[in-house]
Amino acid sequence: MAPRRPAELYRAPFPLYTVRLHPRRPLAITAGGGGAAKTGIRNGVHFLQLEQIGGQLSASLLHSHDTETRATMTMALAHDDIIAAGQDASCHILRFSLQPPEAKSSSGGQNGSGEKGPRKRKGPSPVGQGDTQSQTSEVMVESLHSVRTDFSPDALQKAVRFNADCSLLVTGGADGFLRLWEFPSMKKTLEFKAHDGEIEDIALGPDNKVVTAGRDFQCCVWQQDQLVTGLHWNENLPGIPDKAYRYQACRDSGTFLGLGTVTGSVAIHIAFSLQRLYYVKEAHGIVVTDVAFVPESQRGRELLAGNEAALLSVAVDSRCKLHLLPSRRSLPVWLLLLLCAGLIVATILLLQLAFPGFL
């Protein structure tokens, strides 16, 4: 049976380019905008409260952080409520915090960052009815650093990632250079040319190996500035030329792979076997710009409400959509062992009946 069309979890007043989920809180962070063009399209980072209402996952807007003339194209989220946001040619380091009700009631009409003051929050919107008007100051955002990370003529930071312990930040941009920064000091420790042209995406391994995907049709694995290996998608598929495909974003939850395509389709695969479990053609109808799994944590399992996985996808159509993977029916291990033991006993009894004195 084909999966149902994905629910529209949230709709922003601007194109969406990135989404992240907090590992410990029921919080999704998504961002985008119209950039510096004077089209009237705003730029911002939206903080969404996630909760189960009537058996459905719902999102409501907690806070809208104005990024002025800068659209956020990429984001990385650290474990201590730090956001590294790629805006134009720079990486902006933001810290956010959730404020208790008594704190927001005494904060006045404007906070220190010049954002909108508290407004009465509407109830959480059901799935498919994103609330773009409900704004409160439950989330406070402050700017910590801003460093330039790309130096090409059309400078743009296109990828950013923290390592596992958030001691390093890695950025890549339109100039093809990979740059490593100590965190939180933002002291640059390494810089080298990784690709001829834009770096599209970055992933970090547990040993600080860096995987980069470039617009030059290359995908590379680096240890510091030394090339460990290059990946070739078509090495086991003869007859496919090198430039028939291009590496782009891919997210791994540890158990599943979530994929978004340039045609707007979304898929979920088993990570180790690449068996496809979920696919919706043209879920957005336009290029999918980012995907993120609901984390496999205690709070994340509460949000899943019996589903095996949940994937959020965002696109230029301003929509954040929810893709649910229902739990697959499977026998528990103890029952499988019991059945195997019963099968062995039955086999022995049959052999004894067929061949008396077998035992």
Side-chain angles (χ1 to χ4, degrees):
M1 180 182 295
R4 296 169 53 191
R5 298 298 298 178
E8 183 179 301
L9 188 66
Y10 180 72
R11 185 183 299 187
F14 46 70
L16 292 174
Y17 297 112
T18 181
V19 62
R20 293 289 178 268
L21 285 107
H22 199 285
R24 301 182 307 278
R25 297 173 176 166
L27 188 68
I29 306 170
T30 188
K38 296 180 180 180
T39 59
I41 300 177
R42 292 180 291 176
N43 302 288
V45 179
H46 281 190
F47 296 80
L48 309 178
Q49 176 75 40
L50 302 178
E51 52 194 328
Q52 281 287 336
I53 297 180
Q56 293 183 313
L57 187 62
S58 174
S60 56
L61 182 63
L62 282 180
H63 187 71
S64 173
H65 174 66
D66 183 16
T67 56
E68 300 173 349
T69 61
R70 307 179 306 274
T72 300
M73 306 298 293
T74 59
M75 275 196 309
L77 182 61
H79 51 67
D80 51 355
D81 296 344
I82 298 291
I83 297 173
Q87 299 172 4
D88 297 335
S90 300
C91 185
H92 292 254
I93 307 299
L94 309 173
R95 176 190 288 133
F96 66 92
S97 59
L98 298 182
Q99 301 296 310
E102 59 271 16
K104 60 174 182 166
S105 63
S106 62
S107 62
Q110 294 282 332
N111 59 35
S113 61
E115 299 170 12
K116 294 182 179 180
R119 293 175 58 185
K120 184 178 179 181
R121 181 186 171 195
K122 298 180 182 178
S125 57
V127 173
Q129 296 179 13
D131 181 359
T132 62
Q133 301 299 322
S134 170
Q135 296 187 19
T136 76
S137 57
E138 289 180 355
V139 179
M140 300 292 291
V141 182
E142 60 177 320
S143 179
L144 302 180
H145 296 283
S146 176
V147 294
R148 182 159 184 171
T149 57
D150 190 85
F151 295 89
S152 59
D154 298 319
L156 181 66
Q157 178 182 300
K158 300 205 67 179
V160 59
R161 292 286 179 271
F162 285 103
N163 67 345
D165 63 2
C166 297
S167 61
L168 288 175
L169 184 69
V170 185
T171 63
D175 60 4
F177 276 80
L178 192 71
R179 295 176 172 91
L180 278 70
W181 312 80
E182 289 181 356
F183 191 81
S185 68
M186 293 305 292
K187 176 184 177 182
K188 187 166 61 179
T189 62
L190 185 64
E191 176 183 46
F192 65 93
K193 182 79 168 178
H195 289 273
D196 294 327
E198 301 177 5
I199 294 179
E200 296 280 9
D201 201 11
I202 295 172
L204 276 81
D207 54 357
N208 285 337
K209 282 190 175 71
V210 181
V211 183
T212 59
R215 191 172 282 270
D216 57 359
F217 305 97
Q218 300 296 315
C219 187
C220 305
V221 182
W222 306 89
Q223 184 74 61
Q224 294 290 317
D225 58 351
Q226 299 300 309
L227 180 64
V228 176
T229 186
L231 305 181
H232 302 282
W233 182 262
N234 63 342
E235 61 185 0
N236 295 318
L237 300 170
I240 298 179
D242 287 341
K243 294 187 179 181
Y245 60 91
R246 180 162 60 90
Y247 296 97
Q248 188 53 281
C250 174
R251 294 292 171 262
D252 187 347
S253 73
T255 306
F256 302 105
L257 283 171
L259 303 176
T261 73
V262 294
T263 60
S265 303
V266 176
I268 300 176
H269 296 248
I270 297 176
F272 73 90
S273 67
L274 296 184
Q275 177 188 351
R276 192 170 73 183
L277 302 177
Y278 174 99
Y279 177 74
V280 176
K281 183 178 180 181
E282 297 180 355
H284 287 272
I286 196 171
V287 57
V288 176
T289 49
D290 205 0
V291 296
F293 280 99
V294 171
E296 296 178 348
S297 61
Q298 180 178 354
R299 185 55 63 88
R301 287 191 295 271
E302 293 173 0
L303 295 174
L304 290 177
N307 292 290
E308 196 165 359
L311 182 75
L312 270 60
S313 64
V314 296
V316 183
D317 62 3
S318 306
R319 292 165 171 82
C320 176
K321 293 198 173 184
L322 173 66
H323 308 269
L324 294 174
L325 182 65
S327 295
R328 293 165 290 165
R329 295 181 179 179
S330 60
L331 295 174
V333 175
W334 65 267
L335 183 56
L336 288 175
L337 294 175
L338 185 61
L339 290 174
C340 289
L343 183 61
I344 293 172
V345 171
T347 302
I348 293 174
L349 292 176
L350 287 173
L351 289 173
Q352 178 66 19
L353 289 174
F355 304 99
F358 172 74
L359 294 176

